[in-house]
Amino acid sequence: MATFISVPLKKASEVDLVKPLSKFVTATYQGSEDQPEYLRAVEELNKLRKNALGRPLDKHESSLEVLLRYYDQLCAVEPKFPFSENQVIDEMARDAHFALASLGYEKTCVLFNAAALASQIASEQNLDSDEGLKAAAKYYQLAGGAFSHIKDTVLSALSREPTMDISPETVGTLSLIMLAQAQEVFFIKATSDKMKDGVIAKLANQAADFYSDAFKQCQYKDNLPKYFYFQEVLPVLAAKHCIMQANAEMHQSMLAKQKKRFGEEIARLQHAAELVKTVASRYDEYVSVKDMTDKINRALTAAKKDNDFIYHDRVPEVKDLEHIGKAALVKATSITPPLSQKFADLFEKMVPMAVQHSMSIYNQRKAETVNRLVGTMREATNLCNGVLASLNLPAALEDLSGDSIPQSIAEKSRSIVQQGGLQSIEQLIKDLPELLTRNREILDESLKMLDDEETTDNELRSKFNQRWNRTPSGDLYKPLRAEGGNFRSVLDKAVQADQVVKDRYNTHCDMITLLCKPENELNAAIPSANPTKTLQGSEVVNVLRSQLAQLEQLKEERDTLEGEIKAVTFDMSTTFLNALAQDGAINEEQLSLSQLDQLYSNYNQRVQASLRSQEELLGQVQTSHQEFSSLKQSNSEANQREEVLKKLASAHDSYVEISSNLREGTKFYNDLTEILLKFQNKCSDIVFARKTERDELLKYVLSTCSQFLVISFICDYNKYCWMIYSSTNFQTCRERPNYSRYKKYKTNICVCTHTQTCMDVNTQKKTRTNMTGFPRILKKSKPFQMQ
């Protein structure tokens, strides 16, 4: 019986996973209590890779278990790290040059090695024992399933054409070989258990069919014979097909004998003898069929003797024999992680990237909802303060004496001084341009890195044309450029918002300055007016004070409501994880909007009720103020004083809002700086990876071109000497051609179009030529692209 076929393992490059994955964990889970655990898991993952790929593996189940554990971990970690966004893989490419730098390539190669090792373990089994037969069948089916899985997924897993050993044609053929060998193991098991000859014949015939399919795949696929492995196994597959077909015929002949079809018995034994004779003559160096040949010949001799002397049954032609049935007992093992019995996800607590992305969008939606509700209340409060300031309330009620600072104005003055006064605002305004400039510089530098690398890529693409066969940088950078465009738009809007704040500050600067003065100076700056003490204790004053108290209470309730709205929390990760597990995808918009509606619908109703109460109270205040104003003694001094008090009240409200806006702006710019630095790192990482890839590709292209080049010197009518040193590059030395000095460049042919002469540098022999001969000389130096 022929030796079973096993597949060699792929060699792996050494890659340090710790640096890129730790960098992502540190940046993404900053401040999280789970961050140390994730960093330890990264270390464990790196150790797991070294155990699986960084050392020779024994042909033992424990080694296969290590490979399967690493494969399972790759499958588990894939949705949790942004491998598809080049944030991690580009870092990995710095440490080792991947033929195809992607997690999909790593997974495919690990699964290939698992299948190859399974085939090797199966080939080492003792087929004389039931345990060995069962183990061999199990591992061959596992190998067949793994190779089949690679065939179905390799093109979608990789961003480029796969290498020959993992191409769909190659792994598809390997899967057929593994299933054929598993079927052969079942045949051996059936023979050992002395099952019925009809069953054994069907098992052998099915195995022969599998080997035939694998042989045809190797023989007729244009690219498969180029792969050395199939050139070695091709004769083994042919021999195996003949051997299993011979076994099927031999056992079917036994069944014919039992049914007293002696002619059929002889015909099948003759066909079996011809098959093993073919194996012995063509594939003797790969497989020995001596024992099987002797067995068939003995049975054939006995059958002929009995038929000649006793039965005299007609021996039919082989083509007239009934076809032997087939019984497939093998099935490729389904590759559904986890495959390892000891697998435990190192990053079990870490949510998948799809959930992280959904959480990010959900948090944005939540922030927008909170900002909308809080903004609505703050706008209403500002409107209320503006109306009261225009009515000089509550200062008008406190200013019935007409010659002292109203209590509310005095409190506003002290409040501004306590918050830092003008100096605080001016410092914040001064800092904004610096923060803006810093963010613009980071963004400009990030995009410039992309521009420079893309320019270089386009130049090389125009020079080498189809030889420059990597993805264009312009296509690869589209997501980053879109992200950069969004950042630039955000900065432009921020500049407009900053200008609005500055304009408002300039409008109220004088009155804010007045509020910052000491109380005696402030009192002196406010015009005096005739007293209106007769209004003290009047009903209209009491009503106004009551209404103003209700407005103050309403504003306090809003502050409390704002705190409650900001404090609302809900962990949407569980909802997203359940949706991902059930449907395989996350409808983030539907889930987020539904949850936000549940969380904030009650708060929205309370905000609207607060707005309606304010509108009603302001209407009442305005009515009461009209009555109050009609009772006051009106004169120019009183009007002037009231106008100043209104401006002071309005200046205080503006100061509070401007301070809040400036602090929010400062925080916005500082937060944006961190985001832009991460964006800059992403740009830097991908540009570095592209440069590394560019250098490797350029080295390869030049090495493939150099063997075809003949370096030449060409002088044009302007007497400029051009040195052609590659297929597309030209250099001028701006001097007359000097044939003798060209020898140091190891030039083969020098051509001067001005004197129409050419010279062989090696022999120093000059030859007169004409311009029609010039292209023929260049033709020797292909590929040249004159520009």
Side-chain angles (χ1 to χ4, degrees):
M1 186 62 66
T3 303
F4 282 88
I5 298 168
S6 60
V7 183
L9 274 67
K10 289 174 65 67
K11 293 182 179 180
S13 301
E14 184 177 350
V15 178
D16 181 16
L17 299 178
V18 174
K19 180 182 176 182
L21 296 183
S22 297
K23 181 179 178 181
F24 171 78
V25 168
T26 304
T28 305
Y29 298 96
Q30 188 173 11
S32 171
E33 60 182 14
D34 294 325
Q35 187 191 89
E37 182 179 346
Y38 294 157
L39 292 175
R40 287 193 296 270
V42 168
E43 295 281 354
E44 290 298 320
L45 178 62
N46 198 49
K47 291 179 183 177
L48 185 57
R49 186 183 195 276
K50 288 182 178 179
N51 288 335
L53 304 178
R55 62 183 179 87
L57 296 175
D58 298 328
K59 298 176 183 179
H60 191 269
E61 185 176 0
S62 59
S63 297
L64 179 61
E65 180 69 21
V66 173
L67 272 174
L68 293 178
R69 272 188 61 204
Y70 181 51
Y71 177 77
D72 288 338
Q73 189 58 67
L74 288 177
C75 294
V77 84
E78 183 177 20
K80 300 180 180 181
F81 286 88
F83 293 99
S84 59
E85 299 175 15
N86 298 309
Q87 294 179 17
V88 173
I89 283 297
D90 289 341
E91 286 280 354
M92 291 166 63
R94 298 187 184 194
D95 300 318
H97 177 65
F98 276 4
L100 296 168
S102 70
L103 184 68
Y105 180 66
E106 176 89 343
K107 282 174 54 184
T108 299
C109 292
V110 172
L111 187 59
F112 182 95
N113 276 6
L117 185 58
S119 73
Q120 294 177 15
I121 295 173
S123 299
E124 294 291 317
Q125 298 300 314
N126 178 12
L127 301 185
D128 292 332
S129 67
D130 283 349
E131 292 76 10
L133 288 169
K134 290 178 181 178
K138 169 188 171 184
Y139 288 123
Y140 279 134
Q141 290 178 92
L142 173 61
F147 286 131
S148 179
H149 183 78
I150 295 173
K151 174 188 174 185
D152 295 336
T153 60
V154 65
L155 294 181
S156 60
L158 306 183
S159 58
R160 303 184 187 176
E161 283 295 317
T163 53
M164 177 61 70
D165 53 353
I166 57 173
S167 67
E169 294 83 2
T170 300
V171 291
T173 303
L174 290 176
S175 179
L176 283 175
I177 294 173
M178 296 301 111
L179 292 179
Q181 295 186 147
Q183 181 74 17
E184 183 179 351
V185 170
F186 278 109
F187 160 76
I188 296 173
K189 169 68 173 169
T191 304
S192 174
D193 291 346
K194 299 184 182 334
M195 296 181 70
K196 293 181 179 180
D197 290 311
V199 173
I200 297 176
K202 290 179 180 179
L203 292 174
N205 195 34
Q206 181 65 69
D209 200 39
F210 281 148
Y211 280 121
S212 175
D213 291 342
F215 179 80
K216 291 175 182 177
Q217 282 282 95
C218 295
Q219 191 176 28
Y220 298 117
K221 287 287 184 181
D222 294 339
N223 54 344
L224 287 180
K226 299 175 186 177
Y227 182 44
F228 73 95
Y229 182 77
F230 291 113
Q231 292 178 342
E232 295 176 1
V233 304
L234 194 62
V236 177
L237 294 176
K240 286 258 191 173
H241 166 67
C242 293
I243 290 171
M244 297 312 298
Q245 189 64 51
N247 272 299
E249 294 290 355
M250 184 176 65
H251 284 278
Q252 193 69 18
S253 73
M254 296 176 185
L255 181 62
K257 182 178 180 180
Q258 295 169 13
K259 295 182 178 180
K260 302 186 182 303
R261 299 174 184 170
F262 303 110
E264 179 184 343
E265 176 192 8
I266 294 172
R268 293 193 181 279
L269 288 172
Q270 287 176 340
H271 187 207
E274 292 173 0
L275 289 169
V276 293
K277 183 179 179 181
T278 299
V279 173
S281 61
R282 295 184 182 179
Y283 312 114
D284 186 53
E285 61 179 300
Y286 299 101
V287 58
S288 174
V289 288
K290 185 177 183 304
D291 293 342
M292 187 176 181
T293 301
D294 292 343
K295 182 178 180 179
I296 292 174
N297 287 337
R298 286 196 301 269
L300 179 59
T301 300
K304 282 184 176 180
K305 182 178 179 180
D306 290 344
N307 192 54
D308 290 342
F309 288 98
I310 302 174
Y311 305 116
H312 304 289
D313 195 11
R314 187 183 69 83
V315 179
E317 295 289 333
V318 174
K319 63 180 181 180
D320 296 330
L321 293 175
E322 183 180 350
H323 290 292
I324 302 173
K326 300 174 185 177
L329 296 186
V330 296
K331 183 179 180 181
T333 302
S334 176
I335 304 302
T336 305
L339 301 176
S340 168
Q341 297 177 355
K342 301 178 181 179
F343 173 68
D345 188 3
L346 296 173
F347 301 89
E348 184 176 6
K349 291 184 179 180
M350 185 182 289
V351 297
M353 282 303 298
V355 176
Q356 293 184 34
H357 180 66
S358 297
M359 283 295 298
S360 176
I361 299 177
Y362 165 76
N363 288 332
Q364 291 179 9
R365 295 184 189 277
K366 179 184 174 184
E368 290 172 0
T369 302
V370 171
N371 291 338
R372 176 175 55 80
L373 294 174
V374 171
T376 300
M377 289 192 294
R378 289 183 178 179
E379 288 178 5
T381 299
N382 291 336
L383 174 63
C384 178
N385 291 337
V387 172
L388 294 180
S390 67
L391 301 177
N392 193 27
L393 293 174
L397 298 180
E398 300 163 353
D399 190 38
L400 296 179
S401 65
D403 56 1
S404 62
I405 302 176
Q407 182 182 351
S408 61
I409 298 297
E411 291 175 354
K412 291 180 185 343
S413 175
R414 287 192 292 270
S415 173
I416 289 179
V417 172
Q418 289 173 0
Q419 295 180 51
L422 278 178
Q423 185 179 0
S424 173
I425 286 187
E426 289 175 350
Q427 185 61 45
L428 289 171
I429 292 176
K430 180 182 177 181
D431 291 342
L432 286 182
E434 296 178 6
L435 297 174
L436 173 65
T437 301
R438 181 181 64 186
N439 286 329
R440 283 197 185 279
E441 289 175 352
I442 296 173
L443 180 58
D444 292 341
E445 183 180 347
S446 302
L447 296 177
K448 186 177 183 299
M449 285 192 291
L450 302 181
D451 293 337
D452 292 345
E453 198 285 323
E454 183 176 346
T455 300
T456 304
D457 182 66
N458 291 336
E459 289 175 354
L460 292 172
R461 190 176 306 282
S462 64
K463 287 181 179 180
F464 295 110
N465 294 326
Q466 69 274 13
R467 290 177 180 270
W468 200 252
N469 57 357
R470 69 171 185 167
T471 305
S473 295
D475 296 342
L476 196 62
Y477 295 159
K478 283 182 180 178
L480 288 174
R481 292 196 182 281
E483 192 174 355
N486 290 336
F487 287 136
R488 195 172 296 282
S489 176
V490 167
L491 285 174
D492 292 340
K493 291 180 179 178
V495 171
Q496 296 175 5
D498 292 345
Q499 189 58 48
V500 171
V501 173
K502 291 177 184 177
D503 292 342
R504 184 166 187 178
Y505 169 73
N506 292 331
T507 301
H508 298 278
C509 180
D510 293 339
M511 287 296 153
I512 294 175
T513 303
L514 186 58
L515 285 171
C516 294
K517 292 182 179 297
E519 188 171 337
N520 58 338
E521 295 184 23
L522 177 60
N523 189 28
I526 301 175
S528 299
N530 293 329
T532 55
K533 293 184 178 180
T534 54
L535 293 179
Q536 289 281 8
S538 66
E539 182 180 355
V540 65
V541 171
N542 292 335
V543 170
L544 262 176
R545 283 176 176 165
S546 173
Q547 292 168 345
L548 293 177
Q550 292 179 53
L551 284 174
E552 286 300 318
Q553 182 181 355
L554 189 63
K555 286 191 282 187
E556 290 175 2
E557 291 174 355
R558 281 183 188 158
D559 291 339
T560 303
L561 182 57
E562 179 177 332
E564 292 179 10
I565 290 174
K566 290 181 177 180
V568 172
T569 58
F570 182 80
D571 185 10
M572 278 293 289
S573 60
T574 303
T575 303
F576 290 143
L577 282 170
N578 291 337
L580 186 62
Q582 293 176 4
D583 306 328
I586 300 175
N587 189 339
E588 181 278 329
E589 182 177 7
Q590 179 181 351
L591 294 173
S592 296
L593 294 179
S594 174
Q595 186 60 49
L596 290 173
D597 183 62
Q598 293 180 29
L599 292 175
Y600 292 102
S601 59
N602 181 53
Y603 291 108
N604 187 56
Q605 294 174 6
R606 291 171 63 183
V607 168
Q608 296 302 318
S610 176
L611 296 182
R612 288 192 295 270
S613 297
Q614 175 178 294
E615 183 178 2
E616 183 180 348
L617 279 172
L618 284 178
Q620 294 173 3
V621 167
Q622 288 174 325
T623 301
S624 299
H625 182 266
Q626 288 178 359
E627 185 178 352
F628 172 75
S629 299
S630 65
L631 296 176
K632 287 177 62 178
Q633 183 177 356
S634 179
N635 55 53
S636 59
E637 292 179 353
N639 292 338
Q640 187 178 3
R641 178 181 177 85
E642 186 170 348
E643 189 66 28
V644 172
L645 293 176
K646 289 180 182 178
K647 290 181 179 180
L648 290 173
S650 179
H652 168 266
D653 295 338
S654 296
Y655 178 89
V656 173
E657 187 173 355
I658 290 170
S659 296
S660 175
N661 291 339
L662 289 174
R663 288 188 175 86
E664 288 177 358
T666 301
K667 183 179 183 300
F668 164 79
Y669 282 125
N670 287 329
D671 292 345
L672 185 60
T673 298
E674 295 183 10
I675 296 173
L676 288 175
L677 287 174
K678 291 180 181 179
F679 176 71
Q680 186 181 44
N681 287 336
K682 283 168 56 176
C683 294
S684 176
D685 290 345
I686 194 171
V687 166
F688 182 91
R690 292 287 287 178
K691 286 181 178 178
T692 303
E693 183 186 36
R694 179 195 68 196
D695 294 342
E696 292 289 336
L697 182 57
L698 183 60
K699 186 186 301 182
Y700 170 77
V701 171
L702 291 179
S703 67
T704 56
C705 290
S706 61
Q707 57 184 317
F708 304 110
L709 296 184
V710 177
I711 302 176
S712 301
F713 285 82
I714 303 172
C715 176
D716 62 17
Y717 285 100
N718 294 322
K719 302 180 182 179
Y720 290 162
C721 178
W722 296 85
M723 180 177 70
I724 306 175
Y725 59 90
S726 73
S727 62
T728 57
N729 296 315
F730 300 88
Q731 195 175 68
T732 178
C733 62
R734 289 182 174 272
E735 63 185 37
R736 275 183 173 275
N738 181 355
Y739 287 122
S740 62
R741 67 185 292 273
Y742 292 162
K743 192 170 183 179
K744 69 178 181 179
Y745 294 106
K746 298 182 179 180
T747 310
N748 292 328
I749 298 173
C750 293
V751 179
C752 178
T753 59
H754 182 57
T755 60
Q756 296 188 3
T757 60
C758 68
M759 179 184 72
D760 188 316
V761 174
N762 297 324
T763 63
Q764 298 290 309
K765 182 178 179 181
K766 298 180 182 179
T767 304
R768 186 75 177 176
T769 184
N770 54 33
M771 297 307 294
T772 59
F774 183 68
R776 289 200 296 275
I777 295 172
L778 278 187
K779 192 172 183 180
K780 299 178 183 178
S781 306
K782 288 291 184 181
F784 281 128
Q785 296 178 2
M786 303 298 292
Q787 297 181 348

